[in-house]
Each structure stands twice: as C-alpha cells, then as structure tokens.
Amino acid sequence: MGRRKIEIAEVKDPNTKQVTFSKRRKGLFKKANELSILCGVEVAIVVFSPGNKPYSFGHPSVDAVAAKFLEPNDVQGNGSPNINEVGDMEMLNQQLSNVEAQILEQQKKATKLGERLRKHEVKQLSKPRESQDSFSQLQHNTKDYFDAIEVSECLMLLAQQPVVGIKKRVSKKRRKN
Amino acid sequence: MGRRKIEIAEVKDPNTKQVTFSKRRKGLFKKANELSILCGVEVAIVVFSPGNKPYSFGHPSVDAVAAKFLEPNDVQGNGSPNINEVGDMEMLNQQLSNVEAQILEQQKKATKLGERLRKHEVKQLSKPRESQDSFSQLQHNTKDYFDAIEVSECLMLLAQQPVVGIKKRVSKKRRKN
DNA sequence: AAGGCTATCTATAAAAC
DNA sequence: TGTTTTATAGATAGCCT
C-alpha cells in the first residue's frame, strides 16, 4: 500500500519499525471502528508497541465487550454458543512461514534457554516442519474450542482491569506423551 | 474500497451486513497479524458478529497479551504505564453517537458479571491453553529471546495438546482505588 | 451462505517538507 | 523529530457463480 511492496517480516530498522507501528496501529483501530459501526457490532483490541506501551481500542469499550463475551446467557442470537476462530489458514500460513525462519535462527538461543524452558516443561524447539504440521492439525481439531477459551479468559481478565495483584500460579505439569 | 464508496454507517440490509462483517473481520485480523509480524508486537482482538457470535485473534495468543496488559510491573520497556487511547477524535466522535447508551447498558452487565467472575474465579477454562500461560510467564523472564521464540514455542506447546493437570489459580484481587 | 471477480476506494511506504 | 504529500499496494462493495 505504499510506494513499494514490502514483505510481511519484522522491520529491522527501529525507527522505521516505530513509524510503521504508529501508522498501522492507527489504521487497525480505524478499521475496527468502521467494522463496529457498519455492522453494529462490538470490538476490542489491545496491542503493544515496539516499546512495550499498551494501546487499546474498544467499541463501545473493551470492558463492555468483555462483559458481553462473558455473559453467554444474554446471547440468544441463534443459540450458537461461543464460537471462536483464529482467522484464516492463509494468515496462519503466513505466520508459520515467518515462524519457521525464526525457529531456525533461534535454535541456538533456544538451546541456551533449554534449562528454563524445561522448568516449564517446555521441550526444545524442533523442526519447523513438525511444528507446522502439528499446528495445522491442531488448528483443524480444535479451531473452535481452543480459541474460544483463550479469548474468554483474556476477556475475563480484562474485565477486571482495575486489578493489581493478580497472582497466577502454574503448577508443574507432567508431560504425558 | 469497493466499486462504490460507502458511508460509515450501519448497513441496513441484514444480508449485506453479514457479508460485510465477514469480509471486514477477515481484513481486520489480517491487518492485526501483519502488524504483529512487521513490528514484532503482541495484539489481541475480540469482535462479535451481527449474530452475536464472538470471534477473536491473538498473537501470540490473547492470553499472553492479556497477561502482559494486566501486569505493568513486568513491563520495563520505558516505564510508561498503561496508555489507553482509542484513536483519532474523528473516530471518537463517530463512536460517540452510539457509545453512551451502550456503555450504560454494558456497565450493568459488567457489574453483574463481576460478581459472577469472582464467584467462579478463573475456573479452568481449558486444558490445551494452559501451556501457553506458562509460556507467557516464561516470556517475561526471557525477554531477549522473546520475539523469536514466542511463536515457535506456542506452536510447540500447542502441538503437545495432551497437556493436562495444569492448575492456574487467580487470587482474588483487591481493587485499590 | 461460501467463494471468486474486478473496478474502485483506502491505507500506507517513501519521499518531500 | 514530526507532518504532509504522493504513488502504489492492498482491501473490499457490488456482482456473479
């Protein structure tokens, strides 16, 4: 959409990245706003800048969307429970291709990280192809279920914004392969 | 962006509205995905369809973004606390025409919801997702590898679906006004 | 109602201020 | 360092299958 076509890969130059972020975040929010108005629907977005500053957009507000999401009883649309989807396979593929490259490059670092990862029962990264396959498969098998849950939880958390001392504990889990 | 320019106002024809929603939601998610990749940032979106079905997008996951959003303490980016901005005044003005009423209405729901949430705390919403939480924790501790690893990690974890027994507890937080 | 197909409109990468 | 402009890439409204 600019003078030149750019590949969707992380922008290296910090300055350019920041500029890109500003422009695209603005564009994203605008799109979200249009969507909410055109279709009379509710939307909520949270995004972090390269500098880790959080930005958000909500129509009518992030809280409102969260509340609605968490109140399935109020939804009598068509009887369909919370159904969620991550997006299109196309998008996922785009992510995957990106991930593959990163995995390869980070394999070394990942090794160093090994210890910490293991603490969390996260095994070492393996070949990209494997990831892709499993992911694709997973995508198929748990598309609806998976993300629906993910979001509901996020919203639940967001819904309680004025929160400060949330403590999350993750017990060591046993791998059961 | 189509054969004709349209004003940003609620589409009346239900069918057209649905089609518009589908197309634009797809576009919105794609944009969000591109933003996350181009700038190496985290994004989370939740949107309801005209039929009240929730859809979501998250990179690397809605959870991760939510957790980060809720734990400013962990963020040492530049010390800037949560900055919340909706976008342009233009956009805001457009929203204003609708928001007020909805906010009020949502406020009640939110309140009701609050009770409910507290009651259930964060019950276990899922199994496969849990793994991502430990990962998001991990992310905070390994910022350096963060970008490169987060996605691949996510994929790996997802690939290991048969994850069970993780327990996450969220303590009741005290609001500190 | 789920996918293509353009003609057009919109977003935005670079460049110019 | 930002704001505005410009030329293009990208998104999509109306159609059609």
Side-chain angles (χ1 to χ4, degrees), chain B residues 44-93:
Chain B
I45 300 180
V46 173
V47 56
F48 285 84
S49 73
N52 269 322
K53 294 176 202 163
Y55 292 83
S56 70
F57 168 80
H59 178 87
S61 76
V62 178
D63 261 16
V65 180
K68 190 169 181 177
F69 189 70
L70 293 168
E71 293 182 46
N73 289 345
D74 285 353
V75 181
Q76 3 203 323
N78 56 17
S80 174
N82 284 356
I83 297 174
N84 212 289
E85 59 174 55
V86 201
D88 288 329
M89 278 314 292
E90 215 180 301
M91 194 193 296
L92 286 170
N93 284 328

Side-chain angles (χ1 to χ4, degrees), chain B residues 121-148:
Chain B
E121 281 201 34
V122 174
K123 62 263 179 116
Q124 60 182 273
L125 290 164
S126 66
K127 300 93 207 278
R129 238 213 58 288
E130 309 293 352
S131 44
Q132 287 188 14
D133 263 57
S134 56
F135 178 57
S136 89
Q137 286 277 336
L138 177 66
Q139 285 180 5
H140 285 300
N141 302 322
T142 61
K143 207 130 198 268
D144 295 17
Y145 322 79
F146 188 77
D147 278 336

Side-chain angles (χ1 to χ4, degrees), chain B residues 1-3 23-24 30:
Chain B
M1 298 156 120
R3 295 306 188 73
K23 289 184 175 180
R24 280 176 173 265
K30 185 180 180 185

Side-chain angles (χ1 to χ4, degrees), chain A residues 39-154:
Chain A
C39 304
V41 301
E42 296 173 64
V43 189
I45 299 179
V46 172
V47 55
F48 285 84
S49 73
N52 269 321
K53 293 176 204 163
Y55 292 83
S56 68
F57 167 82
H59 177 86
S61 75
V62 177
D63 280 356
V65 178
K68 182 171 182 177
F69 188 85
L70 292 168
E71 195 78 73
N73 291 342
D74 285 354
V75 182
Q76 4 203 324
N78 54 18
S80 172
N82 287 354
I83 296 174
N84 261 273
E85 56 178 57
V86 201
D88 288 329
M89 279 314 290
E90 216 179 298
M91 190 196 299
L92 289 170
N93 284 329
Q94 165 63 246
Q95 282 187 49
L96 281 173
S97 65
N98 194 278
V99 169
E100 283 182 15
Q102 293 190 323
I103 288 180
L104 288 175
E105 190 184 328
Q106 295 299 144
Q107 200 101 58
K108 285 186 294 182
K109 291 182 181 176
T111 299
K112 277 196 237 168
L113 236 193
E115 294 220 311
R116 284 190 208 168
L117 292 177
R118 266 184 268 284
K119 274 185 191 171
H120 293 271
E121 290 294 328
V122 175
K123 51 203 297 195
Q124 186 129 5
L125 306 178
S126 60
K127 323 86 184 187
R129 217 192 330 175
E130 225 172 89
S131 307
Q132 178 169 8
D133 287 340
S134 11
F135 186 54
S136 296
Q137 199 173 344
L138 173 67
Q139 198 48 37
H140 262 298
N141 299 327
T142 62
K143 192 173 183 188
D144 294 337
Y145 173 72
F146 182 78
D147 230 62
I149 288 169
E150 188 172 289
V151 179
S152 63
E153 183 148 10
C154 158

